Amino acid sequence: MTAHALPFKPVLGPLTDLLPKRARGRPRKTEDERDDGNRRHQLLTAAARLFREKGFDATSTRDIAAAVGMHSGSPFYHFKSKDALLLAVMEEGMRSALARQAEALQGAEAGSRAAAGAVPAASASLLQLRRLIRAHFDTLLGPGNDFVPVMLYEHRSLNVRQRAALAQLQVAYESAWTPVLEALQASGHLCAPVKLSRLLILGALNWSVQWFDEKKGASLDELTDAAMALFLKESR
Amino acid sequence: MTAHALPFKPVLGPLTDLLPKRARGRPRKTEDERDDGNRRHQLLTAAARLFREKGFDATSTRDIAAAVGMHSGSPFYHFKSKDALLLAVMEEGMRSALARQAEALQGAEAGSRAAAGAVPAASASLLQLRRLIRAHFDTLLGPGNDFVPVMLYEHRSLNVRQRAALAQLQVAYESAWTPVLEALQASGHLCAPVKLSRLLILGALNWSVQWFDEKKGASLDELTDAAMALFLKESR
DNA sequence: CCTACCGATCGGTAGG
DNA sequence: CCTACCGATCGGTAGG
């Protein structure tokens, strides 16, 4: 709640004139062109944090505006609607999740090559799955990573068109898991059907958003170890 | 949206007087004492369905009232507040979940005794876990079982006092899994730490609310089979 | 359980 | 991006 939402006009005009000009007021525009992008991104970050903490419906656009020092109508200069802001948060989340996932798989490839042929195919798949899981935990639980949790838990607030826009990114993200799980099933490390395995595994990871507490308990590496131990068999 | 929410008074009074009196109006009170309980339970069921479909914040108390043929203020005759109605939905969900869980464990005990000593302890634990998982899927995905999904996904809308009221029931529900998982770890069927295993397993199951479609795809039995195959090793 | 209503809040906009 | 505002909706209540 900002003072500007009060039903009466504050009578501090003359008083504020005694303060240094613009000390805490609207930021002066240096480097005009980049400013808009910065403010837009500040809105995105604040929205992600608030949507995660309180939920989409329980967060008002006034809350978001106040979090970045704007007035109540100003977010609509940057985003057409509250819905559009939510979608932008989710798209940003999927973009960074896909980037982190790609990096993880490249790392796994490099790790296998470094062991120079001495690594059997099954072991390479194990490393790939480990890195996929670790990257996923990072995306969900890493510091400041509020975007994907918002996507997971506020999906219902999107309309059909918006869901379609996200679906492509989500399919791409989930598709990366399938060949890895297929290889692990072929080598006997995974016994359940691949499709259901992927759904159950991703569910187990996604639910960690509900209970993980970074201040106490396990680290993300320990979480990854536990997940690997839970889902995979010793090779036969 | 009911006609009563319009900003003008509908002019249909004389017309409705031509219809049979009370044909679709407020239900006449037969068996007065039990009536209140019935209406209250109708509100609970409708609220659970709407909270699950649209979310707590996106469901108005007017929506709930309309779903059971009441007018906008009437739900507050049965529940002190919208929050209290949400808590009642969750408590009802936990009560039936605990009952179903207890029944499942009793069935597992009986199943082991029927095999008359020929069943080793590890096999009994496997049967218990299978029945815990199957009962959990029933609680989440069975027809009309909207109460626990609401609890899982609308927890944030409760205040501290209400969460404390639920916590006891939730601890009781989760506690039932621990001795079963401990036994399976002792027999080598489970390799990950028990506490993290329980969190990951329940997460995998809880997430099924997001993707399970009863009209296509797997049955609850097939889901249970897949979960068992994913989480458990062959005994050694 | 209905009638009639209230205060608060919300998403969004016109004009600058 | 701010100012000033609007229409709609919401949870809840007094009185019957």
Side-chain angles (χ1 to χ4, degrees), chain B residues 56-57 83 86 90 154-159 162-163:
Chain B
F56 175 73
D57 287 305
D83 282 13
L86 177 63
M90 296 181 178
E154 301 294 342
H155 196 249
R156 200 168 30 189
S157 298
L158 296 181
N159 63 41
Q162 293 168 321
R163 289 184 202 189

Side-chain angles (χ1 to χ4, degrees), chain B residues 103-152:
Chain B
E103 188 182 11
L105 287 177
Q106 284 167 12
E109 218 176 302
S112 296
R113 269 204 308 274
V119 179
S123 177
S125 296
L126 283 173
L127 178 60
Q128 285 177 330
L129 184 65
R130 173 178 294 279
R131 295 185 65 107
L132 278 177
I133 289 175
R134 178 54 215 252
H136 197 72
F137 277 133
D138 244 330
T139 292
L140 297 177
L141 308 173
N145 291 354
D146 298 319
F147 295 81
V148 169
V150 167
M151 193 198 68
L152 293 178

Side-chain angles (χ1 to χ4, degrees), chain A residues 9 39 71 74 77-78:
Chain A
K9 279 180 89 74
R39 296 299 272 163
H71 286 233
S74 301
Y77 171 75
H78 295 277

Side-chain angles (χ1 to χ4, degrees), chain A residues 139-161:
Chain A
T139 292
L140 297 176
L141 308 173
N145 292 355
D146 298 318
F147 294 82
V148 170
V150 167
M151 192 197 69
L152 293 177
Y153 289 96
E154 301 294 342
H155 196 249
R156 201 168 30 190
S157 297
L158 296 181
N159 63 41
V160 184
R161 204 182 308 268

Side-chain angles (χ1 to χ4, degrees), chain B:
Chain B
M1 179 71 62
T2 70
H4 303 76
L6 293 174
F8 50 86
K9 280 180 89 76
V11 281
L12 294 180
L15 279 179
T16 52
D17 283 344
L18 300 177
L19 298 176
K21 300 288 186 189
R22 298 269 168 251
R24 315 193 66 204
R26 77 184 82 165
R28 61 218 173 283
K29 297 216 178 182
T30 55
E31 305 170 27
D32 262 324
E33 292 77 4
R34 264 187 296 275
D35 206 3
D36 274 6
N38 281 338
R39 296 298 272 162
R40 185 189 149 96
H41 199 261
Q42 286 173 20
L43 278 172
L44 268 185
T45 306
R49 180 175 58 81
L50 289 166
F51 288 162
R52 181 178 190 170
E53 281 177 12
K54 315 202 303 173
F56 175 73
D57 287 305
T59 301
S60 69
T61 55
R62 285 163 168 83
D63 291 337
I64 300 166
V68 300
M70 285 181 186
H71 286 233
S72 68
S74 301
F76 297 98
Y77 171 76
H78 296 278
F79 295 93
K80 198 185 58 189
S81 65
K82 193 188 177 191
D83 282 13
L85 177 50
L86 177 63
L87 177 60
V89 165
M90 296 181 178
E91 284 177 335
E92 167 68 18
M94 281 310 298
R95 251 191 297 281
S96 75
L98 282 165
R100 193 176 284 110
Q101 184 185 66
E103 188 182 11
L105 287 177
Q106 284 167 12
E109 218 176 302
S112 296
R113 269 204 308 274
V119 179
S123 177
S125 296
L126 283 173
L127 178 60
Q128 285 177 330
L129 184 65
R130 173 178 294 279
R131 295 185 65 107
L132 278 177
I133 289 175
R134 178 54 215 252
H136 197 72
F137 277 133
D138 244 330
T139 292
L140 297 177
L141 308 173
N145 291 354
D146 298 319
F147 295 81
V148 169
V150 167
M151 193 198 68
L152 293 178
Y153 289 96
E154 301 294 342
H155 196 249
R156 200 168 30 189
S157 298
L158 296 181
N159 63 41
V160 185
R161 204 183 308 270
Q162 293 168 321
R163 289 184 202 189
L166 268 181
Q168 309 171 31
L169 298 171
Q170 291 170 326
V171 166
Y173 190 86
E174 289 164 14
S175 298
W177 296 69
T178 302
V180 178
L181 294 178
E182 281 170 348
L184 289 168
Q185 192 180 58
S187 62
H189 289 87
L190 182 75
C191 292
V194 166
K195 187 177 175 183
L196 283 177
S197 293
R198 198 196 61 204
L199 289 166
L200 290 168
I201 290 173
L202 279 171
L205 308 188
N206 288 345
W207 196 253
S208 68
V209 170
Q210 305 278 350
W211 53 263
F212 180 74
D213 182 350
E214 60 176 335
K215 291 183 293 295
K216 64 179 179 182
S219 69
L220 298 192
D221 282 328
E222 289 167 331
L223 271 189
T224 305
D225 289 341
M228 291 291 288
L230 178 61
F231 301 137
L232 297 175
K233 277 77 186 158
E234 315 265 312
S235 90
R236 285 180 289 185

Side-chain angles (χ1 to χ4, degrees), chain A residues 216-230:
Chain A
K216 64 180 179 181
S219 69
L220 298 193
D221 282 328
E222 288 167 332
L223 271 189
T224 304
D225 289 341
M228 291 292 287
L230 178 60

Side-chain angles (χ1 to χ4, degrees), chain A residues 108-210:
Chain A
E109 217 176 302
S112 298
R113 270 205 306 275
V119 179
S123 178
S125 296
L126 284 174
L127 178 60
Q128 285 176 330
L129 184 64
R130 172 179 294 280
R131 294 186 66 108
L132 278 178
I133 290 176
R134 178 53 216 252
H136 198 71
F137 277 132
D138 243 331
T139 292
L140 297 176
L141 308 173
N145 292 355
D146 298 318
F147 294 82
V148 170
V150 167
M151 192 197 69
L152 293 177
Y153 289 96
E154 301 294 342
H155 196 249
R156 201 168 30 190
S157 297
L158 296 181
N159 63 41
V160 184
R161 204 182 308 268
Q162 293 168 321
R163 289 183 202 188
L166 268 181
Q168 309 171 31
L169 298 172
Q170 291 170 326
V171 166
Y173 189 86
E174 289 164 14
S175 298
W177 296 69
T178 302
V180 178
L181 294 178
E182 280 169 349
L184 289 167
Q185 193 181 56
S187 61
H189 290 87
L190 182 74
C191 290
V194 166
K195 188 178 175 183
L196 284 176
S197 293
R198 198 196 61 204
L199 289 165
L200 290 169
I201 290 173
L202 279 171
L205 308 188
N206 288 344
W207 196 253
S208 68
V209 170
Q210 304 278 351

